[in-house]
Amino acid sequence: MVIVMATDATAEDVDAIVERVAAAGGEAFVSRGVSRVVIGLVGDVDRFETLNLGSLPAVQSVTRISAKYKLVSREHHPERSTVYVGGVPVGPDTVTLIAGPCAVETPEQTLEAARMAQSAGAVLLRGGAYKPRTSPYAFQGLGEEGLRILADVRAETGLPIVTEVVAADDVETVARYADMLQIGTRNMSNFGLLQAVGAAGKPVLLKRGMSATIEEWLMAAEYIAQRGNLDIVLCERGIRTFETATRNTLDISAVPVVQRLSHLPVMIDPSHSGGRRDLVLPLSRAAVAVGADGVLVDVHPHPEQALCDGPQALVAEDLQRLAAELDALSGVVGRGLSTWWNRRLLAG
Amino acid sequence: MVIVMATDATAEDVDAIVERVAAAGGEAFVSRGVSRVVIGLVGDVDRFETLNLGSLPAVQSVTRISAKYKLVSREHHPERSTVYVGGVPVGPDTVTLIAGPCAVETPEQTLEAARMAQSAGAVLLRGGAYKPRTSPYAFQGLGEEGLRILADVRAETGLPIVTEVVAADDVETVARYADMLQIGTRNMSNFGLLQAVGAAGKPVLLKRGMSATIEEWLMAAEYIAQRGNLDIVLCERGIRTFETATRNTLDISAVPVVQRLSHLPVMIDPSHSGGRRDLVLPLSRAAVAVGADGVLVDVHPHPEQALCDGPQALVAEDLQRLAAELDALSGVVGRGLSTWWNRRLLAG
Amino acid sequence: MVIVMATDATAEDVDAIVERVAAAGGEAFVSRGVSRVVIGLVGDVDRFETLNLGSLPAVQSVTRISAKYKLVSREHHPERSTVYVGGVPVGPDTVTLIAGPCAVETPEQTLEAARMAQSAGAVLLRGGAYKPRTSPYAFQGLGEEGLRILADVRAETGLPIVTEVVAADDVETVARYADMLQIGTRNMSNFGLLQAVGAAGKPVLLKRGMSATIEEWLMAAEYIAQRGNLDIVLCERGIRTFETATRNTLDISAVPVVQRLSHLPVMIDPSHSGGRRDLVLPLSRAAVAVGADGVLVDVHPHPEQALCDGPQALVAEDLQRLAAELDALSGVVGRGLSTWWNRRLLAG
Amino acid sequence: MVIVMATDATAEDVDAIVERVAAAGGEAFVSRGVSRVVIGLVGDVDRFETLNLGSLPAVQSVTRISAKYKLVSREHHPERSTVYVGGVPVGPDTVTLIAGPCAVETPEQTLEAARMAQSAGAVLLRGGAYKPRTSPYAFQGLGEEGLRILADVRAETGLPIVTEVVAADDVETVARYADMLQIGTRNMSNFGLLQAVGAAGKPVLLKRGMSATIEEWLMAAEYIAQRGNLDIVLCERGIRTFETATRNTLDISAVPVVQRLSHLPVMIDPSHSGGRRDLVLPLSRAAVAVGADGVLVDVHPHPEQALCDGPQALVAEDLQRLAAELDALSGVVGRGLSTWWNRRLLAG
């Protein structure tokens, strides 16, 4: 059961509901968004009905939800949501292009990649300072030094930053620099980390676990939402199958499936799903055509020197072409406002 | 090694090459197409080089091919091919819409479905007379009676017919009625059947096995090609993964991957991959955007009464909308001629 | 619904039931075994109940069956079955060792492999004359010549023969030579072939499709049973997963799962599942320990010269050791009679 | 390259090597075990050879290792290792039975389960105080209160404790109570957690990620080893596949595959792989037969009341039977000493 509070509800109104639910043997999870508070109730729903909470003036609505996930479901929130990242919208009206290097290596490489991204029309900069690597002997990222580089590049370019956090202990540090916290595929079921980013007050980009079902992915989002953060963007990045021609198999059907079940925006990462530069363009077109709310791509000024995932990184001309094609497609799929195109015009 | 004969090469020229290859300890597989003969050589390639076959006047070209598949590879044939089915092109310049009922049930249902397909702009009619079913107690199709119904509907509407063949013994019968022979996912590795359709003189629609790698799929095509038939259209229809929200997982990346490896056209079947009506439209858009040469969809005048796969069949309005959206997209992806749209205008 | 006829039931008794079922709008599938006839009914089961068929003297029992597969289910036949192959039992009391070369190559190689198999204690000889190969350019087997070699080796050694059939047209020929017909993994869903072997009057070894669910596998067995042949032995041979360290992933849990659902014997093929010689011994031990009714292994006198799957073939000492270990294990798992050990003693 | 130091090597000897490697442009990872120090070198191996480190008196051996994982590989340590947990050996000479409840719920339930485990012959007690759950609304474990219960039960029964840790921040707390730290399947790629347990000074039970390849699993073990802890036991617990008859597919082949690649002990968890009580016994038998060093099973005094995974928990008689069967099998597979049987005899 989910309770949406009226916009003028006070903290006391919320506390009163939490107490009544507890007295009825249930638990209330309070989620404070920018404009309103929602409360998820867990326990004996029939008993909650007898509390007649919907009649309280501070309550806007009360909904019974059958899905296992509550706050992220469309039963709770029928309209598709828009999440704002440093002022940039990600949602049903736009096609958002996020680009940047897989890993932050040097100030120069990061700035150069950001300029490439921006000139093509990307509106958010991605880049990893903390890298989860399969091998302990592989490059693990620059850590906080990488975050400082990203912050400098943001100051230079104006692009808000999306960057990964891999440990609960780092969340506070990363949140101090980043505009959006990314949870990578290997951490989708790291529930302590999900709860930590849920409490960090920054939008979250939640990648799908490479072997997670769609239901498990939405449950992971619910972990974040339950801590009071509904500013979540989902990102499909390929699942693990028997096929070896691609690094993973992009599950493009996941986009419309998720959009029926959840109000959260959904993006696609064509770089990590295919693992091949030549697939990024066609998969990005497919992403927009299927209805994704944006794409997230790797770029690198010198892919052959990249410390991480060079074979899939786009160079400048690739990204220009990708942006132009996505722009043409976004009109066809009825997305009136193509974020990056507008930005480009404004940047004139 | 693949030898392409000159257009005026005679049967004697071909025999002479076969004998020289045999004398050198190799095997020659002769493939007779409409306009030319190609010969695939298997054995010690370095020894074949010493035969200097390229210098024979009847030989147009000799190519060494490193892929396991020879005739269907782009090494052998760098240009992407167009396959003609009853005069309808399937290839790089068009987006071909094939529609029809999963199973032929009655003359009325089949004609009604064909009219739906045609009025939306479909240019080929699909429909199953022989149905491979998991259960021996399920409806197995009408057999030759179904083929007669399809032929009658073709006479009525002018739409060429695509229909499945499930046993080598039926190939001759099916080929007498059909314009294109379909090999279903469960028979992709039924090598005797592949060889039989390879010799039947009709274009083939080869669906990917639900657990076949892309390489295995191209090897299956090679079985057909090796019997002299290069009029093959590949069709991705979803692979088997751990995800249960969809019937199968559409491997959309397979389209660009295959197009780099093979010259054969590639279509997508969004109906069988998702198994859900609501996914057909977005997946069809993704198919065109990623570069597929067409889509193959299930339609049924009364899906709730369908003997087979009703939950995924489109009704008339769905198909109209799908055709209109694909038409808009095909311009964006640089396919100047949208087959069905032109047909519709001509039918005007 | 399944009807088991009394042992003295006549053909007229059977016909009478078929007619009554047809009159009630249903279909009756008659399955004639060695000692009795069973009839599977498909249609409105509640209506069949009103026919009161159980009261007929020629009827021994009538059972409603909820599983999708009827004749192969334990609901129909609660006791686990024993299948006899040329007089050799495969079932709950024995651990049957089947060994032989992947492919029949020459009379010498086949006889040598058979001697190896026999001296270790194998009681059935496997060997392929018709090979389904992924590549049309790979060795496809010797065909009928291979069958003749197998028959000669049987005459020489006394070992009954298990050999694969890959096309419905070949069933009659293969059945003339073989004691047991094998359906390979690629043909598990080749329903026409299943029906043909169902009618051939020889026991069948049905390998699991490499991406078939257990339910689909039992449905494939039902196709055979429905044509009157319940002498079916199932064989798990690995499924396709993301793991690449082994050729396939042996689904050892399938053995106890199948044994709860079906009365048919279940064997394991450790050679094809792992694809590595060093795994054959431990996987064979696991097979017996989990409760499998036998194992099926590749042997070759000279694996380095094998035309097919050399890397997984055992040599003589390997097989001796394997047989000795399985013999020790079969006592522990309560299989009083170890077939091959007894044979060896007898042959003493 | 891995350097094993002599047992009398000093901290200065180690530092000297680290410096020489750094001067040669490489990195040295020092791993301090109970009886010796090993140093893993990453960088230009040919350059390291020129340093001639093997000639230093403090160095016992220098080995070039081609696998991506170094310290856990058999190249580094050819003999299979035995790990001691509170004095109990897990390794090549024994079959170790670990049993206990999935989750610690109450002192009574935990003690009752421990008594069941012990009387059957289990030598280590498992039980979860911190539970990683797919849903934020599911029971998450008792936390430190659960650890205290486990410690009390250990005091009562003498059974050392194996318990899961799910967050790096909890490692210190859990290590204070536990004899062995378990890393669950969802955290196998939580590299920060792996490093934290690597530094905690307690043996580690590392479950395989449900979609991890064997190589990725060994790389995860390397993360732990690299922090100086080689007391690692691997545990196969089923991988994710298309089959739905079992919760996961037990990859039994992983045991011999891993044993060829790594010196670490490998156990099997038949409870979580199958997710069904009726599969625990046959899969445990298969585990011992394939060569696993032990099994880890769920038991519960009242499975129908369990807060977690009741359907797979064994009751007392099941466990007695399982222990007796494993005991019989361990003789057959040449494990002279069956830990639990001896314990039982000693306990008289």
Side-chain angles (χ1 to χ4, degrees), chain D residues 192-236:
Chain D
L193 178 60
L194 296 175
Q195 290 172 324
V197 300
K202 285 286 170 78
V204 177
L205 184 77
L206 177 62
K207 290 201 162 185
R208 180 179 181 183
M210 66 182 79
S211 70
T213 63
I214 289 171
E215 184 175 288
E216 290 168 341
W217 189 19
L218 292 175
M219 290 307 291
E222 186 79 7
Y223 260 99
I224 298 170
Q226 188 219 25
R227 292 290 166 116
N229 187 348
L230 269 165
D231 291 332
I232 305 165
V233 175
L234 301 168
C235 182
E236 158 67 30

Side-chain angles (χ1 to χ4, degrees), chain A residues 29 42 68 70-71 132-137 140 166 169 186-187 189-191 195 210-213 216 219-220 222-223 226 240, chain D residues 29 42 68 70-71 132-137 140 166 169 186-187 189-191 195 210-213 216 219-220 222-223 226 240:
Chain A
F29 296 87
V42 176
K68 288 193 193 170
K70 311 288 175 200
L71 301 171
R133 301 302 294 273
T134 306
S135 167
Y137 305 116
Q140 311 270 325
V166 299
D169 282 352
R186 286 179 186 76
N187 280 309
S189 299
N190 183 341
F191 303 122
Q195 291 173 324
M210 67 182 79
S211 71
T213 63
E216 290 168 342
M219 291 306 291
E222 186 79 9
Y223 259 97
Q226 188 218 25
R240 189 161 267 191
Chain D
F29 295 87
V42 176
K68 290 194 193 168
K70 311 288 177 200
L71 301 171
R133 300 303 294 277
T134 307
S135 167
Y137 305 117
Q140 310 269 324
V166 300
D169 283 352
R186 286 179 186 76
N187 279 310
S189 301
N190 183 340
F191 303 121
Q195 290 172 324
M210 66 182 79
S211 70
T213 63
E216 290 168 341
M219 290 307 291
E222 186 79 7
Y223 260 99
Q226 188 219 25
R240 190 160 267 190

Side-chain angles (χ1 to χ4, degrees), chain B residues 133 137 211 222-223 240, chain C residues 133 137 211 222-223 240:
Chain B
R133 300 302 294 273
Y137 305 118
S211 70
E222 186 79 9
Y223 260 98
R240 189 160 267 189
Chain C
R133 300 302 295 273
Y137 304 116
S211 70
E222 187 80 8
Y223 260 97
R240 189 160 268 191

Side-chain angles (χ1 to χ4, degrees), chain D residues 270-340:
Chain D
S271 303
H272 284 81
S273 53
R276 291 166 45 166
R277 185 172 304 124
D278 67 321
L279 297 182
V280 175
L281 183 58
L283 294 182
S284 295
R285 283 196 313 252
V288 173
V290 91
D293 300 307
V295 296
L296 175 72
V297 299
D298 281 16
V299 297
H300 198 285
H302 312 288
E304 70 289 355
Q305 299 167 15
L307 294 180
C308 165
D309 287 341
Q312 74 200 31
L314 300 185
V315 294
E317 311 88 87
D318 300 332
L319 190 65
Q320 294 281 355
R321 187 172 162 208
L322 181 143
E325 296 207 4
L326 296 199
D327 194 56
L329 276 169
S330 58
V332 176
V333 295
R335 303 215 175 211
L337 171 73
S338 164
T339 308
W340 71 79

Side-chain angles (χ1 to χ4, degrees), chain C residues 237 239 243-249 271-275 309 312:
Chain C
R237 46 77 67 210
I239 59 174
E243 177 58 68
T244 55
T246 45
R247 189 153 81 168
N248 294 279
T249 297
S271 303
H272 285 81
S273 53
D309 287 341
Q312 74 200 30

Side-chain angles (χ1 to χ4, degrees), chain B residues 102-103 126-134 139-144 147 162-175 178 180-197 200 204-207 308, chain C residues 166-169 186-196 223 227:
Chain B
C102 182
R126 57 152 297 168
Y130 297 84
K131 301 299 304 173
R133 300 302 294 273
T134 307
F139 175 63
Q140 311 269 324
L142 298 179
E144 193 166 355
L147 296 175
V162 183
T163 196
E164 183 166 354
V165 56
V166 300
D169 282 352
D170 299 331
V171 168
E172 206 185 305
T173 304
V174 178
M180 182 178 222
L181 303 175
Q182 178 180 318
I183 300 292
T185 186
R186 285 179 187 74
N187 280 310
M188 193 207 82
S189 299
N190 184 341
F191 303 120
L193 179 59
L194 296 176
Q195 290 173 325
V197 301
V204 178
L205 184 76
L206 177 64
K207 289 203 165 184
C308 166
Chain C
V166 299
D169 282 353
R186 285 179 185 74
N187 279 310
M188 193 207 83
S189 299
N190 184 340
F191 302 121
L193 179 60
L194 296 175
Q195 291 173 326
Y223 260 97
R227 291 293 166 114

